[in-house]
Amino acid sequence: MNFRIGHSTDIHRLVDNRDLILGGVKIDHEKGLLGHSDADALLHAITEAIIGALGKGDIGTHFPDTSSEFKDVDSKILLKNTMKLMIDEGYRINNIDSTIFAERPKMKPHIESMKQVITELLQIPLNDLNIKATRGEKLGFIGNEEGIACEAVVLLIKK
């Protein structure tokens, strides 16, 4: 069997007048993430982890933030396009483990909704995706509520 592992981290700054979207879910919060697209750091980390596992560069290579095509794009579209690339390369997802680093808002109430969205997009069982969340404990840019970071690790298997 041929296995490939990918890892990625994505970070976005929290700003006023933006929606907070993580894992494809809009979360009620006074600030949102700044980015060229919808700035969904969790979907970006998962997308880039898949790209990395395939040895195909990074998210910016495939979806450059200099392109008007991707301005304000829904990150679910980026993940769908990456899934097509993965399938074309002959791989499938074995499992994904991810972490959201955010001081506020609390992520626990939103994790099941995120899992539903992501597993539906990737056409994988719920137990093949894990999403955890942790706080910054008032330390650094996460603890000071200046930004949110997400990490993802994916294991791909050759079909």
Side-chain angles (χ1 to χ4, degrees):
M1 237 182 222
N2 187 357
F3 296 97
R4 309 254 340 202
I5 191 165
H7 171 265
S8 182
T9 302
D10 196 60
I11 301 168
H12 286 275
R13 186 170 27 152
L14 281 164
V15 297
D16 293 325
N17 302 313
R18 288 277 295 196
D19 289 335
L20 178 58
I21 301 170
L22 284 171
V25 174
K26 186 176 174 183
I27 298 170
D28 187 34
H29 192 58
E30 66 268 13
K31 292 185 177 185
L33 296 174
L34 180 63
H36 184 70
S37 67
D38 64 5
D40 186 329
L42 181 58
L43 291 190
H44 290 181
I46 292 170
T47 298
E48 189 168 72
I50 294 168
I51 292 169
L54 294 170
K56 299 288 185 183
D58 59 23
I59 195 168
T61 302
H62 296 268
F63 312 107
D65 64 4
T66 54
S67 171
S68 60
E69 177 184 359
F70 304 114
K71 177 72 175 138
D72 298 321
V73 71
D74 183 333
S75 294
K76 291 189 292 282
I77 293 169
L78 307 181
L79 185 54
K80 282 183 194 176
N81 289 346
T82 300
M83 188 176 131
K84 182 181 179 330
L85 174 66
M86 176 191 72
I87 291 167
D88 290 349
E89 292 287 322
Y91 286 88
R92 69 173 179 81
I93 293 171
N94 185 74
N95 69 299
I96 299 171
D97 187 27
S98 60
T99 306
I100 301 168
F101 300 87
E103 191 69 23
R104 283 187 330 109
K106 293 277 189 195
M107 291 295 140
K108 188 172 183 174
H110 309 287
I111 287 177
E112 286 307 312
S113 296
M114 292 178 196
K115 286 184 73 169
Q116 287 290 335
V117 169
I118 297 167
T119 57
E120 186 175 306
L121 282 169
L122 295 175
Q123 301 170 9
I124 60 174
L126 276 171
N127 64 347
D128 287 350
L129 171 65
N130 190 50
I131 301 173
K132 312 176 290 292
T134 190
R135 297 177 34 230
E137 300 295 334
K138 303 291 183 191
L139 297 171
F141 76 91
I142 292 167
N144 291 323
E145 299 181 44
E146 297 169 20
I148 291 176
C150 295
E151 289 188 337
V153 176
V154 61
L155 179 63
L156 302 183
I157 298 176
K158 191 79 166 177
K159 291 183 189 179

